[in-house]
Amino acid sequence: VARNIESAGLSPGAAVMKKAADAQFAASLGIEGESLEGYLFPETYKFNRGSSPEVILRRMVDRFNTVFNQDMEKQAAAVGLSRKELITFASLVEKETGCAEEKPVIAAVFLNRLGKGMRLDCDPTVIYSLKLENSAFNERLNRNHLKKESPYNTYLNVGLPPGPICSPGLDSIQAVLHPAKVSYLYFVSKNDGTHQFSETLAEHNRAVAAYQ
């Protein structure tokens, strides 16, 4: 987001990053966490050149608050999720697939895994943890990456990571609130933007062999 703002000639990216990571500023906007990660709603915005990072970021959070209304907060509470947990959950769905039709299924897989006490094993959370250490990280994940200690590594830790790993769109948020009614526990990329879903580990291993 900071790079996009800078490339549009609005404000230096470093200044945007500094303001977005200001815990006091986040708290003033009603955000629980150390930064605005997850709450900069993805949409098309218009700003005057030279707009301050505070003006830009406040507008994006305001848009999030408009989209994420009280009804959604009540729906989240009804399924035992706080707003932060819901947005964190939705951020995982957002990063796992760009296919809108799959998002409710991805959400269902993660919910099913949580319900069984299984780890989420979500690759994007590992990538996020590695990017926190090195923003230029752009490698294919390997076994060593999956073993690296981090509160965001869902291959090592049970449950959701401590916060969002991106700013999810409305379809990802809705997917968590209205997951598909399926019993899948696994999925693997079919290398065409979609995934193969499986109920058992044996089925999943066959799918991995076929597609990976």
Side-chain angles (χ1 to χ4, degrees):
V1 170
R3 281 195 295 267
N4 287 342
I5 290 171
E6 181 172 89
S7 66
L10 295 173
S11 185
V16 174
M17 288 291 289
K18 182 177 180 180
K19 196 65 180 178
D22 182 336
Q24 284 190 315
F25 180 55
S28 74
L29 298 177
I31 303 301
E32 178 191 351
E34 297 179 354
S35 77
L36 301 183
E37 185 80 272
Y39 302 94
L40 302 176
F41 195 75
E43 193 150 277
T44 299
Y45 296 87
K46 292 184 179 180
F47 297 100
N48 294 324
R49 291 192 182 279
S51 293
S52 70
E54 181 173 344
V55 167
I56 295 169
L57 296 173
R58 186 181 297 275
R59 174 93 63 82
M60 296 181 77
V61 173
D62 284 347
R63 182 58 184 154
F64 167 85
N65 288 326
T66 298
V67 173
F68 188 80
N69 53 41
Q70 289 185 334
D71 285 343
M72 287 185 182
E73 193 141 11
K74 289 178 182 177
Q75 290 175 46
V79 294
L81 294 173
S82 67
R83 182 178 74 160
K84 182 181 179 181
E85 289 171 333
L86 173 62
I87 299 307
T88 299
F89 211 133
S91 74
L92 271 59
V93 174
E94 179 78 21
K95 295 299 287 185
E96 280 286 9
T97 183
C99 177
E101 294 77 12
E102 280 193 350
K103 290 187 175 185
V105 186
I106 297 283
V109 170
F110 286 149
L111 284 167
N112 291 342
R113 293 179 73 85
L114 285 177
K116 291 181 176 294
M118 299 169 66
R119 291 186 296 271
L120 294 178
D121 289 357
C122 175
D123 288 359
T125 64
V126 179
I127 294 170
Y128 183 82
S129 71
L130 294 168
K131 281 182 174 288
L132 287 178
E133 293 187 355
N134 175 15
S135 61
F137 177 82
N138 191 31
E139 301 174 27
R140 186 180 180 88
L141 288 183
N142 58 44
R143 291 180 184 275
N144 288 332
H145 294 140
L146 302 183
K147 295 176 181 177
K148 191 170 180 61
E149 291 282 351
S150 167
Y152 285 91
N153 187 342
T154 55
Y155 276 83
L156 297 179
N157 307 305
V158 176
L160 292 168
I165 61 171
C166 72
S167 292
L170 180 59
D171 55 354
S172 294
I173 296 171
Q174 292 282 21
V176 179
L177 292 174
H178 306 286
K181 299 185 185 305
V182 295
S183 54
Y184 298 131
L185 290 172
Y186 307 93
F187 59 87
V188 64
S189 172
K190 295 165 67 174
N191 304 310
D192 62 358
T194 66
H195 296 80
Q196 179 68 38
F197 296 88
S198 303
E199 294 184 0
T200 69
L201 183 57
E203 291 175 358
H204 176 62
N205 286 339
R206 288 195 293 271
V208 170
Y211 293 106
Q212 299 296 322

